[in-house]
Amino acid sequence: GDSVTQMEGPVTLSEEAFLTINCTYTATGYPSLFWYVQYPGEGLQLLLKATKADDKGSNKGFEATYRKETTSFHLEKGSVQVSDSAVYFCALRGGGYNKLIFGAGTRLAVHP
Amino acid sequence: DAGVIQSPRHEVTEMGQEVTLRCKPISGHNSLFWYRQTMMRGLELLIYFNNNVPIDDSGMPEDRFSAKMPNASFSTLKIQPSEPRDSAVYFCASSLGGPTDTQYFGPGTRLTVL
């Protein structure tokens, strides 16, 4: 079945460092791909999405490109801030209804 | 808009007791989802409603779990009897109802079963 694999955390960075969180997927057909962010004590929020191959989703300085050839959707940010500390979830939506399949989540801690 | 509202935010109960979690979706949203988040299993979809009708309940762990959506503005997830392994954070999410619409998550209910 469809699945999402993302790098294990925690990822610990200093402020202004470059961030990459890897995400790969297995799916039939052409899924839509998402990154959600969960801040402490809150629910998940959509960060960005891409619906077809080679699309780039971007928001708040974060970017991810839908790479069909490598079945990947890695999250990047050029300069992280302390306020980016959160758990990041990669997800896919396959065919049929609006069902999301999530990766395990990657915790990011950014220190001043 | 107030967003998705869940209550209670925290629930502590003893094994064997009945637990009811509540969700109010965003007004106008036709789809509602219940998720469970645990360290071991991550984020799992339990059940999905569209226009108040359960469409996919394949993620409901066992008969102790039940969910209802009596109207477009209210849903419940009930566990009876509760067990310690049910301890988790339970999220409700809603969307407009189309197959590609964004899901908006509530703040979650942290359930602890002693």
Side-chain angles (χ1 to χ4, degrees):
Chain A
D2 296 352
S3 65
V4 175
T5 303
Q6 57 182 108
M7 63 188 290
E8 290 188 21
V11 174
T12 303
L13 296 173
S14 297
E15 205 165 24
E16 299 183 2
F18 184 86
L19 168 71
T20 299
I21 300 178
N22 290 338
C23 171
T24 58
Y25 68 89
T26 301
T28 55
Y30 303 95
S32 295
L33 302 173
F34 305 82
W35 278 100
Y36 277 79
V37 58
Q38 184 180 26
Y39 298 103
E42 299 183 10
L44 279 70
Q45 302 173 27
L46 178 64
L47 180 60
L48 54 83
K49 66 179 181 182
T51 58
K52 61 183 186 296
D54 299 325
D55 269 2
K56 177 185 284 188
S58 61
N59 186 25
K60 299 181 180 180
F62 291 90
E63 294 182 339
T65 300
Y66 187 163
R67 300 289 188 197
K68 183 172 178 293
E69 64 276 12
T70 54
T71 61
S72 65
F73 193 55
H74 305 320
L75 182 68
E76 297 181 336
K77 187 176 186 183
S79 177
V80 293
Q81 305 300 311
V82 173
S83 57
D84 294 326
S85 298
V87 181
Y88 292 82
F89 292 89
C90 185
L92 70 81
R93 179 172 60 214
Y97 73 88
N98 194 4
K99 179 175 182 176
L100 294 175
I101 296 170
F102 288 89
T106 302
R107 182 175 300 278
L108 169 66
V110 181
H111 299 287
Chain B
D1 198 311
V4 176
I5 299 172
Q6 291 186 247
S7 64
R9 292 294 309 276
H10 302 273
E11 176 79 31
V12 180
T13 190
E14 293 188 347
M15 183 174 63
Q17 296 298 305
E18 177 180 295
V19 175
T20 300
L21 311 181
R22 297 173 176 80
C23 175
K24 177 178 170 54
I26 293 173
S27 178
H29 282 191
N30 297 325
S31 292
L32 184 138
F33 307 80
W34 282 100
Y35 291 89
R36 178 172 67 177
Q37 184 180 38
T38 61
M39 290 293 293
M40 293 299 296
R41 300 176 65 89
L43 200 64
E44 307 171 278
L45 176 67
L46 299 177
I47 188 168
Y48 157 62
F49 290 89
N50 191 48
N51 291 323
N52 312 336
V53 176
I55 302 300
D56 182 358
D57 65 355
S58 59
M60 296 287 266
E62 50 198 272
D63 292 345
R64 296 185 298 106
F65 285 70
S66 63
K68 294 183 180 179
M69 192 164 186
N71 57 61
S73 59
F74 184 65
S75 176
T76 59
L77 178 67
K78 184 177 295 185
I79 308 172
Q80 166 63 16
S82 58
E83 296 182 2
R85 60 193 169 116
D86 302 331
S87 298
V89 180
Y90 291 81
F91 289 103
C92 177
S94 71
S95 73
L96 279 170
T100 62
D101 292 319
T102 297
Q103 291 185 27
Y104 295 86
F105 282 73
T109 295
R110 181 174 295 278
L111 173 65
T112 302
V113 183
L114 303 174

